[in-house]
């Protein structure tokens, strides 16, 4: 259970985000076992930015992105305990669902 990373493209291997830094990512999200994404920054044509490890996002995002180096692309799989748990996200993510994200760590500020 928890967070699993599978690198797709290596990053620079030396620049990792720190607590409180603003990270900029591009991502696609799908429910485990589903072929089609339910969310994507590509569809919105807008990157997603958040402050790392400050509670702005679900715990799995904080943990997964913190393990990535700049320009890395990884598949991050989040079990329900670090995603949306038993409540899910009504109308989008059923309760107790594992979510798979493909994430590109584009920038740190």
């Amino acid at each position: 259970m928890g967070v699993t990373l599978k690198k797709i493209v290596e990053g620079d291997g030396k620049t990792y985000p720190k607590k409180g830094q603003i990270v900029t990512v591009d991502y696609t999200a799908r429910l485990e076992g589903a072929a089609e994404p339910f969310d994507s920054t590509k569809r919105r044509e807008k990157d997603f930015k958040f402050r790392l490890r400050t509670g702005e996002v679900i715990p799995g995002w904080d943990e997964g992105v913190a393990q990535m180096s700049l320009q890395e692309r990884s598949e991050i799989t989040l079990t329900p305990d670090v995603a949306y748990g038993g409540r899910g996200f009504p109308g989008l993510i059923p309760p107790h669902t594992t979510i798979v994200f493909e994430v590109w760590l584009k920038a740190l500020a």
Side-chain angles (χ1 to χ4, degrees):
M1 296 186 80
V3 177
T4 305
L5 253 75
K6 178 181 163 189
K7 286 185 187 179
I8 299 168
V9 176
E10 291 284 339
D12 72 358
K14 58 184 176 189
T15 312
Y16 292 87
K18 296 174 182 66
K19 181 180 180 177
Q21 268 191 306
I22 296 173
V23 297
T24 301
V25 299
D26 185 52
Y27 73 88
T28 299
R30 63 180 173 78
L31 305 179
E32 185 177 52
E36 293 299 313
F38 66 83
D39 188 21
S40 173
T41 55
K42 294 175 181 90
R43 276 195 252 171
R44 289 193 304 275
E45 297 181 357
K46 184 174 182 181
D47 294 333
F48 180 56
K49 296 180 181 187
F50 67 96
R51 196 171 300 276
L52 190 70
R53 295 192 183 273
T54 62
E56 291 183 9
V57 293
I58 56 176
W61 264 88
D62 276 334
E63 187 177 332
V65 173
Q67 297 177 52
M68 296 174 68
S69 66
L70 189 61
Q71 294 302 313
E72 180 177 324
R73 290 178 193 248
S74 284
E75 180 180 274
I76 303 176
T77 302
L78 306 180
T79 56
D81 57 308
V82 293
Y84 292 93
R87 72 183 185 285
F89 192 92
L92 194 60
I93 302 168
H96 308 290
T97 300
T98 295
I99 305 171
V100 180
F101 293 91
E102 185 174 313
V103 179
W104 172 21
L105 180 55
K106 296 175 79 172
L108 306 171

